[in-house]
Amino acid sequence: MSTIPRRSASVVRRGVAGMARLVVLVLFAAVQVCVLTLPALIWLPEYVAAAGLTVLVAIPACRLLPALSRKCAPALYGGAIESPYLPLPALERTENGWYWNGYDFHKFRWVSLAQRRGRWFFTDPATWRDLCWLVVNPLSGGLLAAVPVALAGFGAFLLVAPLTAPHLGAGAAWYFPLPVGTPAGIAATVVAGLALLVLGLVAAPGAVGLHEAWTRWLLAPDERALLARRVERLFATRAAAIDAQAAELRRIERDLHDGAQARLIAIGISLGTAEMLLDTDPDEVRRQLAGARELSAAALRELRGLVHGIQPPMLADRGLGAALEDLAMDAPVPTDVEVGLIGRPDAAVESAVYFSVAELLANAAKHAAAKRVRVSVTHRPGALRVVVADDGKGGADFGRGTGLPGVQRRIAAFDGVVELASPPGGPTEITIVIPCVLPSAE
């Protein structure tokens, strides 16, 4: 029985919250009406001037007001609406001094910039969808939001009607056609007002959901915009992956040149010296051979470390779970590892996850002052999910340092995302999601 009051309170809270959002949406629709009708009201006698001024106001408003609606979407709907516009083409200068703006060649830079901006604005389908939303939303979305508000408002008016009726003049004591001059009329008015108020509150969350669906239908990115954005992102991640690969090759070359190669040269010199002294100084030959043996052991250790940095043998032989457990044993912070995978991802994905987790463990020890770290690896249909959480001081940010941006670039090469939740004071939770289908899940 105790759950009934809690459920009722939850319904009331959701109704009141939905009603508050609907009031904001009604006010926003009223602003749209003012933007579209104010020029006509000012220039009412001159119809041509009124129409022209309305167009001049509507063109910039079709970007500003939808952008404001998208910015307010998390507070109004609980979820963000991404920008739907196609990328602005880059301005390039050719060898003969002309400018290419993605659409045409021009001799002068300012002409090329102006044409690029204009064609990008008017040829983007999202612009016309924004304009359609700007014109139609006051009627459709505004009406959808206004109905529950009107029901709740009129219901509240009927509830207070019996209190205000005695103070009104004669003939003004009739409200929605119920008389408030008799006890039966007062009771009927209160019951009707309460019913309308409850109906408005109950309908408010559903109306917000319908308004969100309508808004997303016009203001959210369509398939063309999503595809263009993905292509742009793939270009950027490909360039980042190529740069990272080149940097890794330079590191390997430097490590080989300064480490193993130098030791192998020293081994060759020691063996050559021993060969020359073999008949004349056996004691020196023994010393040279012992030094060569020590140098070969050191070179072998460096080569093993270099191979481990490229592809850990544990990862190649036993998979991601065993490699992460081995990594946790050597981590500077006590680390718990939970891996729930049936099957193995691609080798490239395993390598990216392994080195990303290694970087995050190093960050937890170096910057977060964490006492314990938890690593969880799971697979859901179509995606590999990795969570690295620590109990440190928090405050992690993608804009500081190179560790987290490096993890972002590594994961973005696989069309994955890195989500960060690190409030000041902690804890920190970093989630990596990579599109991935395990062989056993196909």
Side-chain angles (χ1 to χ4, degrees), residues 85 117 143 161 281 333 358 373 379 411 431:
Y85 308 117
R117 176 68 62 172
L143 184 63
D281 194 349
V333 180
V373 180
H379 183 267
I411 299 303
T431 303

Side-chain angles (χ1 to χ4, degrees), residues 33 60 69 93 152 196 209 211 217 231 245 279 316 328 331 349 375 404 433 435:
V33 173
S69 180
R93 188 172 184 179
L196 291 176
H211 197 283
W217 183 57
V231 169
Q245 184 180 20
D279 297 329
V349 174
V375 179
L404 287 177
V433 180

